[in-house]
Amino acid sequence: MSGETLLHIDGQLVRVKAGSSVAAALRVAGGVGVARTSVTGQPRAPFCGMGVCQECRVFIDGRRRLACQTVCAEGMRVETSE
Amino acid sequence: MTLEHCDLLIVGAGPAGMAAAVAAAPSGASIVVIDDNPAPGGQIWRDGPGATLPPAARKWRDALERHANIRVRSGTRVVAAPSRNQLLLEDAERGWRLQWNRLILCTGARELLLPFPGWTLPGVTGAGGLQALIKAGLPVEGERVVIAGSGPLLLAAAATARAAGAKVVRIAEQASFAAVAGFAASLPRWPGKAVQAITLADAQYRTSSRIVSVQGATQVESVRLRQGGREVEIESDRVACGFGLVPNTQLGRMLGCALTPEGIGAQALAVDARQATSLADIYAAGECTGFGGSERALAQGTIAGHAAVGNEGAAKQHERERARWNAFAAQLGRSFALAPAIRQMPQPDTVVCRCEDVPFSALADCSGWTDAKLHRRCGMGACQGRVCGDAAQFLFGWTPPAPRPPLSPARIATLAGLAGPVDVDRQ
């Protein structure tokens, strides 16, 4: 894996190492990588890192997916959720 | 909706699943391996821009690729079991049904993640979770990291974080010095593990230490720890917590496989000497049958793979190796048993169910898991009680009932496949 991938997170252009997960890209985009807002309005970021906790669910190209289990692809559009 | 067929379906492409597929392949059976991660290897051999795959992982991956009768489907989840020998699957693009003659469950384990004040703050992750995120490219260079919980995974996570440029400022192990020393003293029985332990030794390691709380306005700023008899507060940017592993038995339970008898710790899928579960045609291998590391998973997977294609003789040859690693697993379990004080971590306002934001105080008077679910919405969110269900089992002794489909959140188009392949195709 070499090179870089460019994707959009909430409209912002983000550059990551090729092969990075969307969870990593959330952090690269700035802050601590918040993925969603909880039902009482708290910010939540990737937690289990392995597809169990669902805290990193975001919209990727219009579909709700887990950021920790999705590899960044060129031109991907990611929207943080709720 | 498409209906595909295979002789042998293996769920999970970690060490157990890889070994099972490779053992079964010479039989000529058509084999499908599905896994929800982007690449085979499981958690221990997770690939990515921040990972360095050990030679063993490469070897098994190459072996998978060498066999034309093994098809690996990464990024694929199990949604349901529409009929006795079929699973409904989903990937990023589509849903489909897969019919199998033999099934091997290699669904692994997940971390036991327990609630404490501040555990929902961004910057708090699982210990194995942090490792996985770093391997997948999470930048942690220059960050101060505290790792807390129990078990050798804490040291492994610390090593990964440090290699990625983080400053590991504390590793807090809840087990006593005597317990950890006893474990270390037993390691010469497993020489490979002893070498590993030496390479992971760490000056920031403290025993009889547990997390009290994490502070921060919008993200982690500091961690309070109880070390022996005193409390210390450490400035930190990131906290990784893991309290051991819980066998991932969801799919096995949904299919009706029996669990091991209730004892100390989480229950696992019950298997016999051939790695067969209580159901004919369904085998299980690796951490879903109890945690014990990759070597045990490889031995079990090899036995399951041979047994599933009827090669009992070859299966038998790996029994000694399995026994050796079973003994290691037992030693691990004894040494890092969680102290009762860990149950005192949550405060009344500590969120237990992270999906529905249910606080500890709302659960204290519940009669059991179903009551908590129906009346407090605990476990009703997207993770379907995988995090808070394990926590509640540990904190209150509640046993969640067998999971019902859908096993993971799925798209409507996939769920429509439950109506039957023919019905859906007509639409």
Side-chain angles (χ1 to χ4, degrees), chain B residues 317-338:
Chain B
Q317 287 175 17
H318 296 269
E319 285 183 355
R320 277 189 65 177
E321 192 188 339
R322 178 180 58 190
R324 184 168 124 83
W325 292 111
N326 276 344
F328 175 72
Q331 180 71 45
L332 206 59
R334 278 193 300 274
S335 303
F336 295 97
L338 294 180

Side-chain angles (χ1 to χ4, degrees), chain B residues 73-94:
Chain B
R73 299 240 188 260
S74 295
T76 301
R77 296 171 184 281
V78 177
V79 174
S83 64
R84 175 65 181 85
N85 285 63
Q86 274 186 26
L87 290 182
L88 178 63
L89 307 174
E90 183 186 90
D91 66 12
E93 305 300 326
R94 63 175 189 137

Side-chain angles (χ1 to χ4, degrees), chain A residues 61-72:
Chain A
D61 294 334
R63 279 179 169 170
R64 180 170 276 185
R65 293 172 67 183
L66 296 182
C68 75
Q69 288 186 312
T70 306
V71 176
C72 294

Side-chain angles (χ1 to χ4, degrees), chain A residues 18-21 24 27 32 36 38-40 42-44 46-50 52-55 57 63 65-66 69 71, chain B residues 36-38 43 46 49 77 92-93 113 120 122 124-126 129 132 136-138 143 219 354 356-357 382-383 409:
Chain A
S20 293
S21 70
R27 173 73 177 80
V32 276
R36 73 175 195 105
S38 85
V39 294
T40 59
Q42 305 164 19
R44 295 285 170 76
F47 178 54
C48 80
M50 51 188 79
V52 175
C53 75
Q54 311 273 323
E55 288 280 43
R57 58 190 190 267
R63 279 179 169 170
R65 293 172 67 183
L66 296 182
Q69 288 186 312
V71 176
Chain B
D36 57 356
N37 282 303
Q43 297 308 329
R46 177 182 279 266
R77 296 171 184 281
E93 305 300 326
L113 302 163
T120 54
V124 179
T125 65
L138 181 82
E143 286 188 359
Q219 63 186 73
R354 300 171 64 104
E356 294 290 323
D357 291 355
C383 95

Side-chain angles (χ1 to χ4, degrees), chain B residues 311-391:
Chain B
N311 196 347
E312 306 285 342
K316 268 206 164 317
Q317 287 175 17
H318 296 269
E319 285 183 355
R320 277 189 65 177
E321 192 188 339
R322 178 180 58 190
R324 184 168 124 83
W325 292 111
N326 276 344
F328 175 72
Q331 180 71 45
L332 206 59
R334 278 193 300 274
S335 303
F336 295 97
L338 294 180
I342 297 294
R343 287 193 175 77
Q344 262 87 68
M345 286 195 308
Q347 297 297 307
D349 62 348
T350 303
V351 163
V352 175
C353 172
R354 300 171 64 104
C355 294
E356 294 290 323
D357 291 355
V358 182
F360 183 77
S361 59
L363 301 174
D365 64 342
C366 287
S367 61
W369 177 249
T370 306
D371 184 27
K373 215 172 156 172
L374 291 178
H375 297 111
R376 302 286 190 263
R377 291 198 58 78
C378 184
M380 294 292 274
C383 95
Q384 297 172 300
R386 278 169 179 71
V387 175
C388 63
D390 293 338

Side-chain angles (χ1 to χ4, degrees), chain B residues 247-337:
Chain B
N248 184 2
T249 60
Q250 308 286 129
L251 176 56
R253 293 189 77 198
M254 190 179 81
L255 294 170
C257 298
L259 295 178
T260 52
E262 247 176 290
I264 304 159
Q267 289 174 278
L269 293 177
V271 288
D272 67 11
R274 302 158 52 246
Q275 298 295 135
T277 68
S278 62
L279 295 182
D281 311 338
I282 303 184
Y283 299 76
E287 313 242 282
C288 62
T289 72
F291 62 85
S294 60
E295 296 88 350
R296 177 177 171 276
L298 287 169
Q300 286 194 336
T302 302
I303 293 172
H306 285 308
V309 294
N311 196 347
E312 306 285 342
K316 268 206 164 317
Q317 287 175 17
H318 296 269
E319 285 183 355
R320 277 189 65 177
E321 192 188 339
R322 178 180 58 190
R324 184 168 124 83
W325 292 111
N326 276 344
F328 175 72
Q331 180 71 45
L332 206 59
R334 278 193 300 274
S335 303
F336 295 97

